[in-house]
Amino acid sequence: MIAKRTMEASLPFMLLLAYTAGAKFHFASYYADHMVLQKEPSRAIIWGFGDPGSKVTLTVSQNHSVVTKMVQMEENCDTWKIMLDPVAQGGPYTIEVHQYIKEEVSNISLKDIYFGDVWICSGQSNMEMTVSQIFNASKEMEDASKYPLVRIFATALVQSEVELQDLGGVNLQWSIPTARNLGHGDFSYFSAVCWLFGQYLFEKLKYPIGLIDTSWGGTPIEAWSSKKALNECGLLQYIERSPPLYLDAGPREVSVLWNAMIRPLINMTIQGVIWYQGEANTLMNTDLYNCTFPALIDDWRKAFHEGSDGQTNKQFPFGFVQLCTAVQVQTNDKFPRIRWHQTADYGYVPNKRMPNTFMAVTIDLGDNESPYGSIHPRDKRTVAYRLHLGALSVAYGEKSIIFQGPYPQRVQVNETQRLLNITFAECVQLRHMDNKTFEVCCSNQGTCSWKQASIVSSSSYSVILQSPACSDGIKGLRYAWSEWPCEYKQCPIYNPQELPAPPFITFSYNNPAWIFL
């Protein structure tokens, strides 16, 4: 699968090379008809390549309104970059760019351009899964015509050992969505999570949304991180090099996808990013993910802010999907550890280490019947719905929206009766009495022996557990700490908004949230 897509990516790459070789004056590869540029209050950036020393003018026109910008290219530089004035949401606009050098004039243009919000969607195969692979695929693709102002773009699969200035190739140039370009092929384009997330945003915001899909299956976070970001975590080479066993592995080398599929985009002004990755890191550098993931977010934010001359927010919203399930038989605890590390070991977001982030919890979306393997659940609509709730709250300031399930605030232990009263900050709904999801740490000569704790009852803000006998007392508590913690939408704890409680682990040592009676 991966090898086939890589070969397909070589065609647009070669076409791009042929185009650029024959014409010095052109837009960067991801500027094209039908695209969405970032609306006000930010200023959109347009850039491209030209002849050193030339003068470049740009006009933005709609009906009889025309705005002109000009830039003088330096003698030793073959790129031009123009920042537009802030433009309100809407369109269509026409953008024309002219290059003047000596007595020669060259013209290029963009048509059917809209201004709205631009989101980048990145990660590995669960982000890569196309609309044709998910539940209700036929209807999802038929509905594409209802969203002509949700515009889509997909990069080609290209890797590079050095940072590229422009994309090496394009799989889907900016397009109005159709059934064909949403479901081009398995793990090809267009990303189902990305598309449905954009669809939800458009239904709420009622203005154009631009979606950029840049993802590659079987890839670890190290490939998507710059060397600078990896250095922040003391990691520039992999410690473990075993390839993932459950799917064809994509590139794993340090920074090769940052170099080729993210770095070329940083001049563009964007609204935010959504990310679905982590499965590959259950098999490599698992316990560094609590550093590598926050470091990637920090680094991308800095790069896009600087690349857009300050127009992309330096703390732009970053959403991600907490890992779903893989196999029902528990083999190790690497999936729950990655889920925990995705929050920088806080268990929830935003937090002090990961400000302005939001998370979709998906531990209850396991799909053992998926024809693409249980690692690839087909309910991507629920994933996108939960993501968009976070975006509305974090990115769009709708603070009344709850976008994450209940998280514990206090653990009260009655050691005589062996009862634990877990208090939550928001209302909880006990969906069923699952006696396998909670576990307590029974201390045994300083080490943990995890034993199941039964749910006894619940109230609006608490759940009461019956603990097994622990000779040295209860030292810790964890919830949903397994690879496949519950069946489809049947975890024990949800909130009234039907969002599942995220997995957590907590210990009593010097923890004021623990109270012993």
Side-chain angles (χ1 to χ4, degrees):
M1 177 188 70
I2 298 299
K4 181 175 182 291
R5 283 199 61 203
T6 307
M7 291 174 63
E8 289 174 350
S10 66
L11 178 59
F13 185 35
M14 294 307 293
L15 289 175
L16 179 61
L17 289 178
Y19 170 70
T20 57
K24 272 192 172 183
F25 182 55
H26 60 274
F27 294 108
S29 59
Y30 47 87
Y31 292 91
D33 296 347
H34 312 303
M35 79 179 300
V36 174
L37 292 170
Q38 186 59 40
K39 70 171 186 65
E40 65 179 9
S42 298
R43 299 167 181 249
I45 300 289
I46 298 179
W47 72 279
F49 299 86
D51 293 292
S54 63
K55 181 176 74 172
V56 177
T57 64
L58 178 148
T59 61
V60 180
S61 59
Q62 183 188 45
N63 298 327
H64 300 293
S65 174
V66 178
V67 176
T68 301
K69 294 281 186 178
M70 185 191 77
V71 66
Q72 181 73 44
M73 292 180 61
E74 297 180 5
E75 292 293 339
N76 60 349
C77 182
D78 64 353
T79 62
W80 52 269
K81 188 177 187 182
I82 295 178
M83 182 186 297
L84 306 185
D85 292 335
V87 179
Q89 58 92 3
Y93 289 85
T94 296
I95 296 175
E96 295 183 345
V97 185
H98 305 270
Q99 175 184 260
Y100 302 89
I101 183 168
K102 298 179 181 177
E103 296 180 356
E104 295 182 5
V105 181
S106 302
N107 305 317
I108 51 178
S109 64
L110 302 172
K111 297 181 176 62
D112 189 40
I113 303 301
Y114 281 79
F115 285 81
D117 283 341
V118 180
W119 284 84
I120 289 177
C121 310
S122 188
Q124 59 180 110
S125 55
N126 270 303
M127 181 63 83
E128 203 177 27
M129 280 183 75
T130 50
V131 181
S132 62
Q133 295 178 271
I134 65 174
F135 287 142
N136 302 315
S138 297
K139 184 169 189 311
E140 298 288 10
M141 292 190 290
E142 287 173 6
D143 288 346
S145 60
K146 299 178 181 178
Y147 302 94
L149 294 182
V150 180
R151 304 293 174 85
I152 56 178
F153 174 96
T155 68
L157 301 187
V158 178
Q159 57 180 309
S160 174
E161 293 183 0
V162 297
E163 291 188 346
L164 300 184
Q165 188 173 28
D166 196 8
L167 291 174
V170 173
N171 265 350
L172 178 66
Q173 191 51 271
W174 282 103
S175 301
I176 299 170
T178 66
R180 177 172 173 75
N181 59 30
L182 284 178
H184 184 266
D186 291 353
F187 300 100
S188 184
Y189 56 83
F190 190 75
S191 163
V193 169
C194 189
W195 164 249
L196 295 171
F197 174 77
Q199 186 186 111
Y200 277 120
L201 288 185
F202 178 80
E203 289 173 346
K204 178 67 175 181
L205 302 173
K206 306 300 183 186
Y207 60 69
I209 301 292
L211 301 172
I212 297 174
D213 174 12
T214 180
S215 53
W216 194 331
T219 52
I221 195 170
E222 291 83 355
W224 294 100
S225 304
S226 74
K227 291 184 178 179
K228 180 181 177 182
L230 293 175
N231 196 46
E232 291 292 321
C233 302
L235 174 65
L236 286 179
Q237 295 180 350
Y238 294 144
I239 297 171
E240 301 170 24
R241 290 185 173 272
S242 300
L245 302 176
Y246 46 79
L247 47 81
D248 294 329
R252 292 176 289 128
E253 290 73 19
V254 166
S255 304
V256 292
L257 302 183
W258 156 263
N259 292 341
M261 297 175 66
I262 299 298
R263 167 60 182 81
L265 300 171
I266 64 172
N267 289 350
M268 172 180 276
T269 309
I270 64 169
Q271 171 69 10
V273 168
I274 57 172
W275 171 260
Y276 197 160
Q277 190 278 334
E279 297 92 340
N281 285 98
T282 63
L283 294 173
M284 59 183 71
N285 301 332
T286 301
D287 286 330
L288 288 175
Y289 206 89
N290 58 357
C291 180
T292 53
F293 185 40
L296 176 142
I297 295 173
D298 292 345
D299 188 61
W300 283 24
R301 283 172 168 168
K302 185 174 187 294
F304 276 91
H305 179 70
E306 293 177 353
S308 65
D309 295 341
Q311 294 311 299
T312 296
N313 190 315
K314 65 173 61 177
Q315 288 290 321
F316 65 73
F318 196 109
F320 63 95
V321 182
Q322 193 177 48
L323 287 195
C324 187
T325 55
V327 294
Q328 289 180 309
V329 178
Q330 179 78 6
T331 56
N332 55 57
D333 68 345
K334 288 194 172 185
F335 262 72
R337 277 156 54 199
I338 282 286
R339 293 181 188 123
W340 186 247
H341 292 335
Q342 285 180 296
T343 67
D345 298 351
Y346 280 79
Y348 57 88
V349 296
N351 56 53
K352 291 180 180 179
R353 180 64 186 88
M354 300 172 65
N356 222 34
T357 58
F358 54 96
M359 173 176 73
V361 176
T362 64
I363 56 172
D364 64 335
L365 300 183
D367 182 5
N368 205 33
E369 302 301 318
S370 173
Y372 314 104
S374 57
I375 193 76
H376 299 123
R378 290 166 289 174
D379 186 0
K380 293 299 193 275
R381 178 165 281 282
T382 299
V383 175
Y385 174 78
R386 292 174 181 175
L387 270 177
H388 108 280
L389 292 178
L392 293 180
S393 177
V394 173
Y396 295 100
E398 298 193 21
K399 300 304 181 185
S400 62
I401 290 180
I402 295 173
F403 64 92
Q404 185 172 277
Y407 197 80
Q409 297 296 302
R410 186 177 65 176
V411 179
Q412 187 171 307
V413 183
N414 186 321
E415 294 187 291
T416 303
Q417 298 180 344
R418 302 206 318 270
L419 294 177
L420 289 84
N421 188 333
I422 307 164
T423 304
F424 295 84
E426 62 172 301
C427 187
V428 298
Q429 292 185 345
L430 188 63
R431 191 156 286 190
H432 63 92
M433 307 283 277
D434 189 324
N435 294 332
K436 299 179 181 179
T437 316
F438 281 101
E439 298 171 289
V440 295
C441 165
C442 290
S443 179
N444 183 10
Q445 295 182 347
T447 62
C448 259
S449 175
W450 291 100
K451 298 182 180 181
Q452 293 174 358
S454 302
I455 299 174
V456 176
S457 63
S458 69
S459 62
S460 296
Y461 290 89
S462 67
V463 173
I464 297 176
L465 307 179
Q466 179 73 62
S467 169
C470 294
S471 57
D472 292 335
I474 298 168
K475 304 300 181 183
L477 174 69
R478 66 187 188 186
Y479 172 77
W481 203 264
S482 68
E483 197 159 314
W484 193 298
C486 49
E487 293 308 307
Y488 182 75
K489 293 191 176 180
Q490 285 299 310
C491 281
I493 301 174
Y494 289 77
N495 61 15
Q497 293 75 26
E498 299 189 347
L499 298 174
F504 66 82
I505 186 168
T506 178
F507 294 94
S508 62
Y509 315 117
N510 301 318
N511 189 338
W514 281 70
I515 300 173
F516 288 88
L517 301 178

